[in-house]
Amino acid sequence: MQILVDAEPAPISLDPARTALIIIDMQRDFLEPGGFGETLGNDVSRLTPAIAPCRRVLDASRAHGLLVIHTREGHRPDLSDAPLAKVQRGLPSLRIGDPGPMGRILIRGEAGHDIIAALTPAPGEPVIDKPGKGAFYQTDLELMLRNRGIDTLLVCGVTTEVCVNTTVREANDRGYRCVVLGDCCGSYFPEFHEAGLAMIKAQGGIFGWVSSSQAVLRAIGA
Ligand code: TIU
């Protein structure tokens, strides 16, 4: 079965059985006060508008049997998988691994590392723990997609120009078609959000397509 999703630079036809919804890093560490995002000096409320549309696409994807994959950025408690260059970067109020109000910053197993309550993974939905910005780097995501015959990714999450863009670029080079749902993504910088989406769809879709939650819901008849 093929469905047609309205998108830019052009509509895209996709087979839901070969399409996965991937939700990037919708973690308390990025979306809630006291986490990694805020320690970097960001206004985390800027990411809030992405939650509701993400949830609608998640519900529809579950109802229609799409593969749903969640990712989380974070590190082992001993920081052995955290590059020193990342840990020492900048002048954050707290560094990766420091104790904060939601536990140690960006560390697996801590409260801040959890996916936000509104988007909690359902039993059976894969959760990819990644040490970097891209979801393919040092993870088994590609193996999982190949085993399921996935050729197209619906991409949601935060932040648009950081982990979403990095993942889309990695996916594009691996031959996956990425459809980024703009209203399901967010950035601490509105201008970077817009530029991040513009870069994906420019030049005939150099990295992929940009669409919206509404266009996907319409296409799958939700
Ligand atoms: N800082 C920022 O915008 N993002 C990140 O550090 N990680 C993700 O985007 N997930």
Side-chain angles (χ1 to χ4, degrees), residues 26-39 44 94 97-117 188:
M26 291 293 279
Q27 295 162 258
R28 301 183 68 193
D29 253 322
F30 296 105
L31 286 119
E32 294 185 11
F36 181 60
E38 192 176 77
T39 70
V44 295
L94 295 171
D98 285 350
M102 293 191 287
R104 294 176 64 202
I105 299 293
L106 215 62
I107 298 297
R108 294 179 190 163
E110 302 288 340
H113 184 257
D114 281 348
I115 290 169
I116 58 169
Y188 303 120

Side-chain angles (χ1 to χ4, degrees), residues 4 54 77-79 85 117 121 161 166 202:
L4 191 67
C54 243
D78 65 2
L79 297 183
E161 79 281 13
T166 303

Side-chain angles (χ1 to χ4, degrees), residues 24-25 27 30 36-37 40 42 73 130 133 158-164 188-189:
I24 309 280
D25 300 2
Q27 295 162 258
F30 296 105
F36 181 60
L40 296 174
N42 297 306
E73 179 180 350
K130 61 189 184 64
K133 305 306 183 196
V158 296
T159 59
T160 313
E161 79 281 13
V162 182
C163 292
V164 171
Y188 303 120
F189 307 88

